[in-house]
Amino acid sequence: MKRPVVGVIGNTHRVENRFTVQMVGERNLSAVAEVAGALPLMFAGVPEITDISALLEIVDGIVLTGARANVHPTRFRTEPSLKHEPYDIHRDEVALQLSEACVSRGIPLFGICRGLQEMNVAFGGSLHPEIRELPGRINHRMPRLANGEIHPDPTVVFADRHEVKLTPGGAFAGILGCDTIKVNSLHGQGILDPGARVVIEGIAEDGTIEAIRIADAPTFALGVQWHAEYDPQKNPINRKLFEAFGEAVRKRHLSS
């Protein structure tokens, strides 16, 4: 039997400050291949290149990955600011349309970090550009050295930082078999107001929204604020999420 195919969205980068490229972190691809059991297919987060309808004819699921760029504030009726750059308006265009299209067509959708934020905006929600600036919130950004540089040890950067309380009886609690988990934290932007179909299923100790599902979606349509792609080969929480996504992808593949 052929392996199911999962589309993994690309991000815009500049190489040598001259060449525009589309990039995907290998950990996202490895998580799809090794844990979800599917063939990862990178696609461009550029609307002029990626025909969404054509893409959804050949994939059995979509992963919206994390990324350095923030969702552009005009997508949720807020004025942009230089201090919250970079933005990736081309990816915004593709990801927001994909979020709605996947849910309407019954194609499994897994949003990670920026992907969760895109799902929320796609269904009418808003974001805050710096969650840590809200009263009572902690700094959810990645750990840095005293001189401001990113910590060189990835085990420190991606270490579990805080707990997340899950909705008892919800989709996440059902998949993970518990009501409290610990996760990593590498984001500045976060959900402010949830979208109309966005159901909150996980909240951090400081009130930050960490896990969502799309109401009435016919298949897997979940988003997490943490980087579940980092270690699903070893981390039991992230493994169960990618396995559940993989199961939904296989069902889609068999039915198509």
Side-chain angles (χ1 to χ4, degrees), residues 163-187:
E163 288 188 346
V164 173
K165 298 288 187 183
L166 303 175
T167 302
F172 281 89
I175 291 169
L176 302 176
C178 58
D179 292 340
T180 303
I181 59 175
K182 290 199 73 173
V183 301
N184 57 46
S185 188
L186 295 89
H187 65 101

Side-chain angles (χ1 to χ4, degrees), residues 56-238:
L56 295 183
E57 289 294 325
I58 60 173
V59 301
D60 304 294
I62 290 288
V63 172
L64 300 177
T65 68
R68 173 70 182 87
N70 284 329
V71 177
H72 200 276
T74 54
R75 290 290 182 176
F76 44 93
R77 302 166 299 281
T78 302
E79 289 299 315
S81 169
L82 291 176
K83 70 178 183 177
H84 298 136
E85 293 182 355
Y87 300 119
D88 188 345
I89 59 174
H90 299 300
R91 170 166 163 162
D92 292 346
E93 182 72 19
V94 175
L96 299 189
Q97 289 187 53
L98 263 179
S99 295
E100 293 183 285
C102 283
V103 172
S104 65
R105 297 191 189 189
I107 296 172
L109 174 67
F110 192 10
I112 297 172
C113 199
R114 188 191 212 262
L116 165 141
Q117 297 162 8
E118 290 166 333
M119 290 171 67
N120 184 58
V121 172
F123 288 93
S126 66
L127 307 174
H128 193 284
E130 278 291 351
I131 284 293
R132 61 181 172 173
E133 294 178 355
L134 294 174
R137 302 297 179 93
I138 64 173
N139 182 5
H140 286 262
R141 287 190 174 274
M142 67 175 63
R144 293 179 179 268
L145 301 174
N147 62 5
E149 293 181 359
I150 296 172
H151 200 288
D153 186 350
T155 62
V156 174
V157 173
F158 289 93
D160 290 342
R161 298 263 303 279
H162 61 73
E163 288 188 346
V164 173
K165 298 288 187 183
L166 303 175
T167 302
F172 281 89
I175 291 169
L176 302 176
C178 58
D179 292 340
T180 303
I181 59 175
K182 290 199 73 173
V183 301
N184 57 46
S185 188
L186 295 89
H187 65 101
Q189 192 165 253
I191 292 177
L192 183 60
D193 299 307
R197 292 182 62 182
V198 173
V199 179
I200 301 168
E201 287 212 3
I203 301 178
E205 303 161 25
D206 66 348
T208 298
I209 296 170
E210 294 277 340
I212 64 170
R213 68 175 172 86
I214 305 302
D216 302 320
T219 186
F220 190 108
L222 305 180
V224 298
Q225 184 60 79
W226 66 92
H227 282 264
E229 86 287 354
Y230 173 69
D231 57 354
Q233 295 84 351
K234 298 178 180 180
N235 183 301
I237 297 299
N238 296 331

